[in-house]
C-alpha cells in the first residue's frame, strides 16, 4: 500500500527560493526510505509537505490517497508522525509524562489508557521510568528519545525523521539505528528519514532518494544506488 505519494511537486518559498522542483516520490507500507542530500538540498521542505505544514506550489501530495489539505489534516497527521531534527523544537512540557501525554489528551483518550501508553512508549525508546523527569535536564540523546516517544505514542503508520542521527556521538548513532530498525520490524512502522550521512543509509534504508538543489537526482534500492556511486 502507498502511504505517501508526491506527483510532480514544486515548492517555492515566499521570498522566491525554489526549494523543490518536479518531485515524484512515494513510500510504501513497511519500507525504510532514506532521503540523502547535502544541507539545503530540500529535505526538510519535502518532509513538511507530508503533513500539510507546507502546501505544494504545484503538483499534488497524497497520504493513503487523501490529498494533504485542510479538511484532511487531522487524518493525515494521525497517519504521519513527524520527528523534528532538534528536539528543543518539539519539547514543551515540564515533565516527560506531560510531554508524551499531550497529543493523547488532545485525542480525548481516557487518563488510564494514556498512562499505559506513556509507559509503553518510554519502554520502546529505552527510557522506562522517566515519566517524572524534566525534559530540559536530559542529555541530547535522551531528549531525542522523548521526542520520538511522544510521536510513537500516537501510533502513527509512518515515522518521518529529519536528520535523526545528527548531533549524536558514534555510539548514540549505533543505538538509534538499532532502535529505529526495531520500530520498523517489530511495530511494523514505516520509516522515512533525511540524512546527509552516507554511512547511515545502508544500515537503515531499503530504498533511497538522493536530492540535490531541490531535485531528486538518483533513486533506487539502497544496494542499486550504492553500487552506482
Ligand atoms: P535541507 O533540509 O535539505 O537542508 P531545506 O529544505 O531546509 O534543505 O532547504 C531547501 C532550500 O530552501 C534551501 O535553499 C534553503 O535555504 C531554502 N529555505 C528553507 N527554508 C526557507 C524559508 N523559510 N524561506 C526561504 N528559503 C528557505
Ligand atoms: P492545538 O493543537 O490543540 O490547537 P496548540 O498547538 O495551539 O494546540 O497548542 C496549545 C498549547 O499547547 C500551546 O501553549 C503550545 O505551546 C502547547 N503545545 C503544543 N504542542 C505541544 C506538545 N507537543 N507538548 C506540550 N505542549 C504543547
Amino acid at each position: 500500500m502507498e502511504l505517501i505519494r508526491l506527483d510532480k511537486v514544486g515548492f517555492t518559498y515566499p521570498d522566491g527560493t525554489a526549494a523543490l522542483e518536479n518531485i515524484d516520490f512515494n513510500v510504501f507500507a513497511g519500507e525504510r526510505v532514506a532521503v540523502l542530500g547535502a544541507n539545503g538540498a530540500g529535505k526538510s521542505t519535502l518532509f513538511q509537505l507530508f503533513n500539510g505544514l507546507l502546501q505544494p506550489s504545484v503538483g499534488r501530495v497524497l497520504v493513503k490517497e487523501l490529498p494533504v489539505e485542510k479538511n484532511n489534516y487531522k487524518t493525515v497527521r494521525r497517519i504521519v508522525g513527524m520527528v523534528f531534527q532538534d528536539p528543543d523544537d518539539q519539547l514543551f512540557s515540564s515533565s516527560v509524562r506531560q510531554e508524551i501525554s499531550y497529543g493523547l489528551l488532545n485525542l480525548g483518550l481516557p487518563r488510564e489508557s494514556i498512562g499505559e501508553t506513556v509507559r509503553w512508549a518510554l519502554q520502546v525508546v529505552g527510557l522506562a521510568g522517566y515519566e517524572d523527569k524534566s525534559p530540559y535536564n536530559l542529555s541530547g540523546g535522551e531528549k531525542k528519545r522523548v521526542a520520538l516517544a511522544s510521536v510513537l505514542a500516537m501510533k502513527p503508520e509512518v515515522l518521518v525523521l529529519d536528520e535523526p542521527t545528527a548531533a549524536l556521538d558514534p555510539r548514540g548513532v549505533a543505538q538509534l539505528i538499532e532502535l529505529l530498525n526495531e520500530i520498523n520490524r517489530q511495530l511494523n512502522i514505516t520509516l522515512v528519514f533525511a540524512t546527509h550521512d552516507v554511512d547511515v543509509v545502508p544500515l537503515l534504508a531499503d530504498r533511497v532518494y538522493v536530492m540535490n538543489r531541490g531535485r531528486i537526482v538518483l533513486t533506487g534500492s539502497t544496494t542499486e544506488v550504492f553500487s552506482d556511486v
Side-chain angles (χ1 to χ4, degrees), residues 36-220:
L36 177 66
N39 279 335
K43 306 182 296 295
S44 300
T45 305
L46 175 73
F47 284 8
Q48 290 176 74
L49 296 167
F50 297 164
N51 70 356
L53 290 174
L54 294 175
Q55 283 283 350
S57 311
V58 296
R60 57 177 199 158
V61 182
L62 303 176
V63 167
K64 287 179 99 176
E65 301 185 351
L66 285 176
V68 178
E69 55 193 39
K70 233 185 182 114
N71 292 335
N72 296 327
Y73 282 168
K74 252 189 133 144
T75 312
V76 163
R77 288 172 186 175
R78 292 221 50 192
I79 297 168
V80 180
M82 196 73 82
V83 182
F84 295 100
Q85 176 169 1
D86 183 353
D88 291 330
D89 291 344
Q90 198 159 357
L91 302 176
F92 297 81
S93 308
S94 55
S95 75
V96 167
R97 173 185 290 103
Q98 256 187 316
E99 188 59 50
I100 300 175
S101 302
Y102 177 82
L104 301 164
L105 286 166
N106 261 349
L107 292 180
L109 299 177
R111 291 207 172 253
E112 309 78 72
S113 82
I114 290 178
E116 193 59 41
T117 303
V118 170
R119 209 171 317 130
W120 170 82
L122 282 171
Q123 196 227 317
V124 170
V125 301
L127 297 178
Y130 270 52
E131 279 89 339
D132 293 318
K133 292 187 190 272
S134 162
Y136 302 100
N137 297 332
L138 302 178
S139 73
E142 288 171 336
K143 282 186 189 176
K144 278 184 183 261
R145 283 165 187 262
V146 170
L148 177 56
S150 63
V151 175
L152 275 180
M154 303 292 286
K155 310 270 169 83
E157 293 183 46
V158 49
L159 263 185
V160 177
L161 307 108
D162 198 355
E163 299 276 0
T165 59
L168 293 174
D169 61 23
R171 189 161 150 264
V173 171
Q175 287 173 344
L176 191 74
I177 288 171
E178 192 186 337
L179 172 59
L180 292 174
N181 279 325
E182 275 172 25
I183 287 170
N184 173 254
R185 276 199 302 265
Q186 290 169 23
L187 305 179
N188 196 25
I189 293 178
T190 305
L191 299 180
V192 184
F193 67 97
T195 188
H196 59 261
D197 183 354
V198 174
D199 295 339
V200 171
V201 176
L203 302 172
L204 193 58
D206 310 302
R207 205 151 66 78
V208 55
Y209 288 92
V210 182
M211 290 189 71
N212 186 35
R213 295 171 183 249
R215 291 178 176 274
I216 290 166
V217 293
L218 188 59
T219 184

